[in-house]
Amino acid sequence: MENKKLQKVSATALIISFLPLATLIPVLLKITLPDGVRSIWAGANIVFVLVGLCLSIACARNHESRSIVNIASTIISTFWVLLMAGIVVLALFLNFLQ
């Protein structure tokens, strides 16, 4: 029973890990979003990344339930976190150069 719950949580973590890619939809369709919508979308992406990382780590921590889905969602979420951290560091670096 608990294994089924962890499988559902790991599938949810994988789906949440891919949600930041939805940001590319307006770009591909050449739609310009207002500033408020872009800010909300950016905040939602940050939340999705952090929630996906927490869920995937929680599922991958248990040795019995560790699967390729857990590992994939952990890798994807870690990539997003590193990407966001790199953007923040670059913005701070460029801000100090000016």
Side-chain angles (χ1 to χ4, degrees):
M1 181 74 160
E2 188 173 324
N3 196 16
K4 287 223 181 240
K5 286 182 183 178
L6 285 176
Q7 286 177 347
K8 288 181 182 180
V9 172
S10 66
T12 304
L14 185 64
I15 292 169
I16 289 174
S17 296
F18 278 116
L19 282 178
L21 287 176
T23 305
L24 297 175
I25 293 172
V27 173
L28 294 174
L29 297 176
K30 297 182 182 182
I31 298 172
T32 304
L33 298 174
D35 290 337
V37 174
R38 280 189 282 174
S39 297
I40 292 171
W41 201 313
N45 281 338
I46 293 169
V47 170
F48 289 145
V49 167
L50 295 177
V51 168
L53 183 65
C54 291
L55 286 176
S56 61
I57 288 175
C59 291
R61 187 181 290 182
N62 191 353
H63 292 292
E64 293 88 29
S65 68
R66 192 172 293 166
S67 68
I68 192 71
V69 174
N70 294 339
I71 295 168
S73 65
T74 305
I75 290 170
I76 293 167
S77 295
T78 304
F79 167 74
W80 289 122
V81 168
L82 290 174
L83 188 68
M84 288 188 321
I87 291 170
V88 168
V89 168
L90 181 66
L92 290 173
F93 180 71
L94 291 176
N95 193 22
F96 285 125
L97 284 179
Q98 292 179 352

